[in-house]
């Protein structure tokens, strides 16, 4: 496969930014809102936004089960921020009744930096991406508080708190490469899509 066909779940959040990065990297990109649209892609991005809203809309649009099935079938999925929350098997500080798609064997805390620190930027050394460090922007960001054995930790803050993970075909970051012109996570995701196809 030369041109990967990937979708961005387009129920809420920073869909446009992901579409732009993936298009710049040469992928064929579609916005995915319905099960038929999901069936036509080889990989899916879950954008940043508000995880509880995306959760509710995914159920209203009949997307929850199809996305869960795609994850179970091994479709590569990349989640940023709210998208990472949606990939987590377990969350803390979710709203009442909040669900996730799951798949990543992690516990993620929503809004882990509290209301005092709504957003911040930092350079992260990420061995999987090589040089230079990645400039990461965190916006009401979640943290990976616990991770199972199969989970590879790709990046951590200076104090050791984990902010990027990979488990098989699933990739998640607490931060938003798509808003900073940082293309390497999306390039890694597209490699995962090509490998699997
Ligand atoms: N705090 C948001 C949530 O709980 C995530 C924020 C973001 O995606 N920038 O979903």
């Amino acid at each position: 496969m030369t041109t990967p066909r990937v979708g961005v779940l387009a129920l809420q959040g920073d869909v446009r930014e992901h579409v732009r990065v993936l298009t710049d990297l040469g992928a064929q990109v579609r916005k995915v809102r319905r099960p038929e649209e999901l069936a036509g892609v080889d990989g899916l991005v879950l954008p940043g936004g508000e995880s509880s809203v995306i959760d509710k809309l995914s159920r209203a649009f009949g997307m929850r089960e199809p996305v869960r099935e795609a994850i179970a079938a091994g479709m590569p999925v990349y989640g940023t921020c709210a998208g990472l929350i949606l990939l987590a098997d377990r969350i803390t500080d979710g709203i009442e009744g909040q669900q996730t798609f799951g798949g990543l064997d992690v516990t993620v805390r929503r809004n882990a930096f509290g209301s005092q620190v709504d957003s911040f930027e930092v350079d992260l050394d990420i061995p999987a991406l090589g040089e230079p460090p990645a400039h990461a922007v965190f916006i009401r960001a979640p943290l990976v508080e616990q991770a199972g054995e199969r989970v590879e930790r790709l990046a951590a803050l200076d104090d050791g708190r984990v902010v990027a993970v990979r488990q098989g075909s699933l990739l998640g970051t607490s931060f938003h490469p798509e808003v900073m012109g940082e293309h390497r996570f999306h390039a890694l995701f597209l490699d995962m899509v090509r490998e699997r196809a």
Side-chain angles (χ1 to χ4, degrees):
M1 177 181 56
T2 45
T3 309
R5 295 176 309 166
V6 295
V8 179
L9 187 66
L11 300 174
Q12 189 267 339
D14 68 340
V15 174
R16 202 181 320 156
E17 287 77 1
H18 283 285
V19 170
R20 188 175 306 137
V21 175
L22 293 163
T23 305
D24 283 354
L25 289 169
Q28 196 181 309
V29 191
R30 321 211 156 124
K31 293 184 188 168
V32 169
R33 286 191 191 88
R34 292 183 307 194
E36 312 85 84
E37 293 163 340
L38 180 63
V41 297
D42 304 309
L44 184 68
V45 168
L46 306 178
E50 175 47 55
S51 56
S52 59
V53 172
I54 299 174
D55 165 40
K56 278 189 193 145
L57 290 174
S58 74
R59 287 185 262 158
F61 279 66
M63 285 300 286
R64 177 176 160 78
E65 284 314 314
V67 171
R68 285 170 60 82
E69 281 163 22
I71 291 171
M75 176 186 272
V77 181
Y78 174 28
T80 65
C81 202
L84 166 63
I85 296 169
L86 287 158
L87 276 180
D89 281 343
R90 299 166 297 279
I91 57 172
T92 43
D93 286 354
I95 69 163
E96 175 81 27
Q98 182 169 352
Q99 298 178 21
T100 67
F101 299 126
L104 263 183
D105 181 12
V106 295
T107 306
V108 164
R109 179 175 297 277
R110 275 179 78 231
N111 303 330
F113 298 92
S115 53
Q116 301 289 337
V117 187
D118 253 5
S119 71
F120 62 97
E121 297 177 23
V122 65
D123 287 327
L124 295 172
D125 280 321
I126 304 182
L129 299 184
E131 289 295 321
H135 190 68
V137 54
F138 293 77
I139 305 166
R140 304 210 315 123
L143 265 178
V144 178
E145 290 195 323
Q146 178 273 336
E149 269 169 26
R150 291 166 300 161
V151 178
E152 190 186 341
R153 293 156 176 77
L154 298 181
L157 298 173
D158 281 346
D159 59 13
R161 291 185 290 174
V162 176
V163 292
V165 291
R166 177 178 175 169
Q167 178 192 322
S169 54
L170 304 178
L171 181 65
T173 57
S174 298
F175 48 89
H176 293 273
E178 72 280 8
V179 304
M180 295 305 294
E182 168 58 69
H183 283 27
R184 290 175 293 171
F185 280 98
H186 291 79
L188 175 63
F189 166 67
L190 292 178
D191 285 344
M192 290 159 62
V193 175
R194 283 191 203 93
E195 259 164 45
R196 156 133 177 106

